[in-house]
Amino acid sequence: MAVSRTETRSLGRLTKYSDILVAGLVVLILVMMVVPLPAFLLDALLVLNITCALVILLLTMYTKDALEFSSFPSMLLIATLFRLALNVSSTRLILLHGYAGRVIEAFGNFVVGGNYVVGMVVFIILVIIQFVVITNGAGRVAEVAARFTLDAMPGKQMAIDADLNAGLIDEEEARIRRRTVELEADFYGAMDGASKFVRGDAIAGVVITVVNIIGGIIIGMVQFGLPAVEALQRYALLTVGDGLVSQIPALLISTATGIIVTRAAAQSSFGQEVTGQLLAQPRVLAIATGLLVMFGLVPGLPKVPFFALAAISGVLTYVVSAHEEAETKADEELKERALQARQPESVMPLLAVDPLELEIGYGLLSFADETSEDGGLLRRVTMVRRQIALELGLVLPHVRIRDNIQLSPTDYVIKIRGIEVAQGEIMVGHYLAMDSGIVTQPVPGIETAEPAFGLPALWITESERERAEIAGYTVVDPVSVIVTHLTEVIRRHAAELLGRQNTSDLIENIRKIEPAVVDELIPNLMTIGEVQKVLQNLLREGVPIRNTSVILEALGDQAGVTRDPNMLTEYARSALARVISRQYRGSGGEIVVATVDPEIEEGIARLMEASPDTGMLGPDRNFSQTVVSQVAQMAEKMAAGGHQPIVLTRPGVRVYLKRIIERVLPNVVVLSYSEISDDEKVRSVGMVSLGED
C-alpha cells in the first residue's frame, strides 16, 4: 500500500508540472535545430521518437471516441517538429563527421544489408506509401468529417434544445452536450489542417535525403578527396539510414492519423471491433477454408502455407459456429422465460405485506441515492433502527423504502403493514426552520407545519439558513425531517410492530443468556402469544422492553396466579420501576406528578367490580367524562408550568384510569405508586378530584 501511495503522489506531481515539461520540450526541439548534438544523445532521441510514435498509434487503436484524444492535432505538430529537428541534427553529424550514431548506422547496414541502392528503393517505397496512400486518404477523410460536422452543428443544437424543452434532460446535461458538439467541430477542423503537417513531413523527408546525398558527395570529393563512388557509398548509406529512421515513426503517426479520423462511429476499441465484425459470419470463414484447400490442391502452388491457413480458418469456423449456436440457444431460453412470465403465475407472493414501509415521490429519489449530494436517507434509517433498539428494546424489521409514482413528487407516506399511518410533504432544496422560543427576528419563508409534531414552521432557502440559525431558529435538512417523522411514527406504533416472530426472537435471545428464566415460563405457564400481549401493552405506553429478562422473571412469578394480560402488565411495570422512574425524571432530579383523589380511585374500583370477568369498566359514562375533564384541566396546568403531565394513582386502578383517558388524552402519563423506585424524589403539584378546586 505504501508503494502505491508513493507512485500516486509521484504521478500527481508529474501531472501538476506537466505544462512546464511540455513547454520545455518544445523549447528543446527548437534548440536541437541550432545546437549540435553528440552521437549518443542522438541515438537516445531517435529511439524516443520511435517509442512516442508507437504509443500514439496504440492510443488511437484503444480510443473509442475521438474527443478522448482531443490533443492529437497539437501532438501531431510537435511530433512532426521533433522528427524534423532530429533530421537537422543527424544531417549535421553526417556531413561534418561522416558518422551519426549507432542507430542510423544499424539501419543503414543491417536493415538494407549495407546496400544504399536497396536502401534508396525501400525509402522511396515508404515515402510513396505514406504520402500517396495514408496521408492523402487521411487528409480527405478529415476534410469531409470537418465539413459534415460543421454542417450538422445547427441540427444537433436544435435537438439538444428540443430535449431540454421537453424535460428529457436538465440544464447541466444540455450544457455538456453543447460543449461536446463544439469540441467535435473544433477537433475535426483541427485534424483537417493537421493532416497537412504529415504531407509536408513526407515532402521534407525526401528533400532532406536528396540534399544529404548531394552534400555528402560534394564534401567527400572536395574536402576529403574521396572518389565519387566511395563518397556516394559512404554518405548515401548514412543518409538512407537516417531517412529510414525518420520515415518509420512518420509512417506510424500517419497511420494513427488515419485511424482516429476514420473511427467516427466506434463503440469499442479498434481490436474488439475488427475481431467482432470479421468473426461475425462463420459461413464466410467456412467458404474461405474451402477456397484455401482448393488452392493448396492446385499443382505448382506451395501446399504448406495454404493447408496451414486452411486449418487455422477451419478451427476459427468451428469456434465461432459453436459460440453462435450457444448464443442462439440462450436467446431461445430467454424467449421461453418471457413466454412463461406471461402465463398465469402464483399470486401468493403478492399477499406478503411489509411491516414498515416508506414510500416517496420521484422528486425525493435523490435522498435515497447514496452517491447523490442530498443522499443519506438509507444510512439515517439504519441509524433509526439502532436508536429504537437501544431506546425501546424493539428490533425493528427492515424499513422498505420505495418510490410511488402515484404520489406527488415531493410527498412521502409511512405505512405499517400496508396501511398508511402518516404522510408529509418536503420542499426539495429548502430547509425546515422551527421557532425554538428564543427567536429574535423573523426570516422569510413558506409557512408549514412540522410533520412529526405539527409545530408551526417555515420552509427557507439555503441562503437564509445561516441567518435563521443566528436568529434562534432550529434549522433541519429535508432528510432529517423525514427521519424524525419516521422515528415518531415508530414510537407511537411500536406495539403494532412487535409481531409474534419478533417476540419469539427476543425470547430465544434471552434463552441463550438466561435459559432458566425462559424454561420456567414457556411453555408451562405462558405461551409466546401471551408474552407478546404483555410486551405490546408496555410498548403502547412507551415503556422500554429492553430488560426482557426482568419482564420474564416478573411474569414467571405471577403467571401462576393470573393469566390476565393487563394484570400481568402491571406486575411487569412494577418490576421495571427503576426504568420507568428514570424515564420520567425531570430536569430538577425529581418526578413532578398530580395525584388522584381517593374518591376517583374508589369509583374506578366499583366499576371494575361491576364487570370482573371481562376486565372492562362498567357503563358509567358521566363518571368517565368527569374524570377525563378533570385530568385534562390538570394536564393543562402542568404543561403551563413546564412539566410533563403525569398522573399518580394506586396500583390496581392505574390501567383502568389510563383506559378512561387514553383516547382523549393520549399524551398524559399514568403511573402507579409501585412504579416509583424508593430512591426517587416525587413532588406533587395538585390533585385530580371530582369536585371544584
Side-chain angles (χ1 to χ4, degrees):
M1 181 62 69
V3 175
S4 62
R5 290 179 179 175
T6 303
E7 292 175 352
T8 302
R9 288 194 296 267
S10 301
L11 181 60
R13 287 193 295 267
L14 181 62
T15 306
K16 180 179 179 181
Y17 299 106
S18 59
D19 54 341
I20 300 177
L21 294 176
V22 173
L25 177 61
V26 174
V27 173
L28 180 62
I29 291 173
L30 297 177
V31 171
M32 287 168 53
M33 295 184 178
V34 180
V35 178
L37 297 179
F40 72 89
L41 181 57
L42 181 62
D43 286 342
L45 293 178
L46 289 173
V47 174
L48 176 62
N49 185 28
I50 297 175
T51 304
C52 292
L54 184 60
V55 170
I56 293 174
L57 175 62
L58 294 177
L59 279 176
T60 58
M61 296 177 66
Y62 282 94
T63 299
K64 298 179 182 179
D65 187 357
L67 293 183
E68 294 179 6
F69 203 179
S70 58
S71 61
F72 183 79
S74 300
M75 190 174 296
L76 181 61
L77 171 60
I78 295 177
T80 302
L81 186 62
F82 185 46
R83 282 197 307 276
L84 294 176
L86 291 176
N87 279 133
V88 173
S89 299
S90 61
T91 299
R92 183 183 296 111
L93 289 176
I94 291 172
L95 297 180
L96 286 177
H97 307 291
Y99 177 73
R102 300 184 62 183
V103 174
I104 293 177
E105 184 179 5
F107 270 82
N109 292 314
F110 177 74
V111 177
V112 297
N115 192 325
Y116 66 89
V117 178
V118 176
M120 288 295 299
V121 172
V122 173
F123 173 75
I124 294 173
I125 292 175
L126 290 178
V127 171
I128 292 175
I129 292 174
Q130 179 185 352
F131 184 75
V132 178
V133 181
I134 300 177
T135 304
N136 194 27
R140 180 57 179 168
V141 173
E143 180 182 353
V144 174
R147 184 183 306 168
F148 285 176
T149 302
L150 292 174
D151 293 341
M153 276 190 66
K156 292 181 179 180
Q157 297 284 7
M158 292 176 64
I160 295 172
D161 295 337
D163 290 346
L164 178 61
N165 295 332
L168 301 177
I169 58 176
D170 55 12
E171 184 64 32
E172 181 66 22
E173 179 67 18
R175 188 180 300 109
I176 294 174
R177 290 190 182 182
R178 292 193 189 100
R179 180 58 179 165
T180 302
V181 172
E182 294 175 359
L183 291 176
E184 286 180 352
D186 294 341
F187 175 79
Y188 286 109
M191 285 302 302
D192 184 23
S195 61
K196 305 302 187 294
F197 298 148
V198 181
R199 177 178 299 182
D201 181 35
I203 297 174
V206 175
V207 173
I208 291 174
T209 301
V210 174
V211 170
N212 284 351
I213 292 175
I214 297 174
I217 294 174
I218 295 175
I219 291 176
M221 295 176 61
V222 175
Q223 294 185 0
F224 297 103
L226 298 175
V229 177
E230 185 178 351
L232 178 63
Q233 173 73 21
R234 179 177 180 181
Y235 287 96
L237 194 61
L238 291 175
T239 302
V240 169
D242 180 30
L244 292 176
V245 171
S246 300
Q247 285 305 309
I248 289 177
L251 184 62
L252 295 177
I253 295 293
S254 301
T255 306
T257 304
I259 290 176
I260 199 168
V261 296
T262 53
R263 301 187 67 235
Q267 298 295 327
S268 58
S269 65
F270 181 68
Q272 292 175 342
E273 282 193 338
V274 170
T275 305
Q277 294 173 11
L278 287 180
L279 302 180
Q281 298 293 336
R283 292 183 179 179
V284 175
L285 294 174
I287 295 173
T289 302
L291 292 176
L292 288 172
V293 173
M294 291 176 59
F295 281 118
L297 296 176
V298 174
L301 292 180
K303 300 184 181 299
V304 175
F306 285 104
F307 287 154
L309 290 177
I312 296 174
S313 180
V315 171
L316 287 176
T317 303
Y318 174 77
V319 173
V320 174
S321 299
H323 180 69
E324 187 179 43
E325 183 178 354
E327 287 187 345
T328 304
K329 185 180 296 185
D331 292 340
E332 292 177 354
E333 291 179 357
L334 290 176
K335 291 179 181 178
E336 185 177 353
R337 291 178 184 176
L339 182 61
Q340 292 177 355
R342 291 194 293 267
Q343 300 296 328
E345 61 179 355
S346 174
V347 297
M348 293 301 295
L350 301 177
L351 301 180
V353 178
D354 293 312
L356 189 58
E357 294 179 80
L358 174 61
E359 295 184 351
I360 57 179
Y362 67 83
L364 307 180
L365 290 178
S366 60
F367 295 163
D369 185 4
E370 293 297 326
T371 61
S372 172
E373 184 178 353
D374 298 329
L377 180 60
L378 300 179
R379 184 179 66 257
R380 298 283 293 276
V381 169
T382 303
M383 295 173 61
V384 168
R385 297 182 70 242
R386 177 181 176 86
Q387 176 185 349
I388 294 298
L390 294 174
E391 181 180 324
L392 297 178
L394 174 63
V395 179
L396 285 175
H398 290 286
V399 182
R400 176 84 66 177
I401 301 178
R402 64 180 67 183
D403 61 313
N404 188 346
I405 59 175
Q406 296 180 351
L407 295 176
S408 297
T410 57
D411 286 354
Y412 67 90
V413 169
I414 302 174
K415 293 183 178 181
I416 293 181
R417 304 194 185 280
I419 306 301
E420 178 182 335
V421 295
Q423 63 88 29
E425 182 180 4
I426 297 295
M427 290 194 67
V428 181
H430 290 68
Y431 290 83
L432 190 69
M434 295 171 288
D435 190 347
S436 60
I438 56 173
V439 174
T440 57
Q441 60 179 358
V443 296
I446 302 174
E447 295 184 358
T448 184
E450 195 274 332
F453 304 100
L455 302 175
L458 296 172
W459 285 113
I460 62 174
T461 60
E462 186 174 1
S463 59
E464 296 289 341
R465 178 182 181 181
E466 184 177 358
R467 176 184 171 188
E469 291 176 344
I470 296 175
Y473 283 91
T474 300
V475 182
V476 294
D477 59 276
V479 174
S480 298
V481 174
I482 299 176
V483 171
T484 302
H485 196 184
L486 177 64
T487 305
E488 289 304 312
V489 168
I490 292 172
R491 289 196 181 103
R492 290 197 298 266
H493 298 271
E496 301 177 44
L497 294 172
L498 180 67
R500 192 71 54 89
Q501 185 60 48
N502 302 110
T503 306
S504 176
D505 294 339
L506 289 175
I507 294 174
E508 291 302 321
N509 186 51
I510 298 299
R511 188 190 299 273
K512 297 176 183 178
I513 305 173
E514 303 179 53
V517 176
V518 178
D519 294 340
E520 179 188 2
L521 179 64
I522 298 173
N524 299 326
L525 299 177
M526 295 182 68
T527 64
I528 294 179
E530 291 172 332
V531 175
Q532 177 193 1
K533 292 180 181 178
V534 174
L535 297 180
Q536 285 179 328
N537 288 339
L538 294 173
L539 289 174
R540 191 171 288 113
E541 295 191 47
V543 178
I545 60 172
R546 189 177 178 186
N547 293 336
T548 312
S549 60
V550 176
I551 299 173
L552 296 182
E553 287 182 1
L555 296 180
D557 294 338
Q558 303 299 328
V561 180
T562 179
R563 301 289 290 270
D564 182 7
N566 294 323
M567 296 306 299
L568 291 175
T569 301
E570 295 304 301
Y571 290 129
R573 290 176 63 96
S574 298
L576 296 172
R578 193 174 300 278
V579 175
I580 296 175
S581 300
R582 181 178 297 274
Q583 184 178 359
Y584 296 111
R585 183 189 300 170
S587 58
E590 57 185 7
I591 303 176
V592 180
V593 301
T595 58
V596 178
D597 191 340
E599 182 180 359
I600 295 179
E601 296 176 343
E602 292 297 332
I604 294 176
R606 288 193 298 271
L607 294 178
M608 292 166 52
E609 294 174 357
S611 54
D613 297 331
T614 61
M616 302 296 294
L617 294 180
D620 192 341
R621 184 171 299 177
N622 292 331
F623 176 78
S624 299
Q625 290 179 350
T626 303
V627 172
V628 171
S629 176
Q630 295 299 320
V631 173
Q633 293 180 19
M634 181 57 66
E636 291 180 1
K637 293 180 181 179
M638 297 182 71
H643 306 297
Q644 182 179 3
I646 301 176
V647 176
L648 186 63
T649 185
R650 74 185 190 189
V653 301
R654 189 210 70 83
V655 61
Y656 298 99
L657 177 59
K658 178 63 177 178
R659 188 172 298 166
I660 291 174
I661 68 173
E662 64 182 352
R663 290 187 177 274
V664 181
L665 304 170
N667 295 325
V668 175
V669 179
V670 181
L671 302 179
S672 69
Y673 294 108
S674 62
E675 298 169 6
I676 305 296
S677 60
D678 297 335
D679 55 350
E680 291 291 342
K681 297 180 181 180
V682 180
R683 179 163 63 92
S684 176
V685 295
M687 177 180 290
V688 179
S689 60
L690 295 177
E692 296 181 357
D693 293 340

